[in-house]
Amino acid sequence: MTDREETREIPLRSLVWMGDSRKNIREFPEEVRASVGYALQLVQAGETPLEAKPFKGVGSGVYEIVKRYDTDTYRAVYAVKIGETIYVLHAFQKKSKKGIKTPQADVELIKQRYKDAVAREKPQ
């Protein structure tokens, strides 16, 4: 790129951390935090990260970022189709050793936070 070429500013959508999701991500290993942070920045710019996949059973536009590190798996679940804001619904280290299914307690928490995010977007 030369000095004459124009660079284009990409407006980022705002990000809202629901519950303790931000605190939880801060407790992830540095490499995982950086990867999840970069993925969320892509989402804010309107892109879909390669590591994002739909999170079924909550609502339309809910995705999860899955990052494996050492022998652990870390997840961040976010919603993109609630107004113009990106909502990070939950971030956690998957502890269950039984298959790939998300533990029911985490699913219930994600569902509740999704409902709370939808309620925040409704005009008062």
Side-chain angles (χ1 to χ4, degrees), residues 43-82:
V43 172
Q44 286 181 277
E47 303 291 328
T48 301
L50 292 174
E51 57 271 89
K53 61 182 185 177
F55 188 85
K56 306 265 193 259
V58 176
S60 175
V62 177
Y63 295 87
E64 69 176 329
I65 299 164
V66 178
K67 180 72 176 162
R68 287 177 180 74
Y69 181 79
D70 285 341
T71 59
D72 298 316
T73 301
Y74 298 86
R75 295 181 179 198
V77 179
Y78 65 92
V80 294
K81 292 189 176 179
I82 305 173

Side-chain angles (χ1 to χ4, degrees), residues 78-124:
Y78 65 92
V80 294
K81 292 189 176 179
I82 305 173
E84 291 299 313
T85 303
I86 311 289
Y87 287 90
V88 180
L89 303 174
H90 190 30
F92 59 103
Q93 177 183 350
K94 186 174 176 295
K95 296 190 186 327
S96 170
K97 304 296 181 203
K98 300 175 190 164
I100 61 171
K101 191 170 184 185
T102 304
Q104 192 59 36
D106 289 309
V107 172
E108 293 304 320
L109 182 61
I110 291 164
K111 286 180 178 180
Q112 183 58 54
R113 288 182 178 171
Y114 179 81
K115 286 180 190 173
D116 294 346
V118 169
R120 281 180 64 140
E121 286 291 321
K122 287 187 178 171
Q124 300 299 330

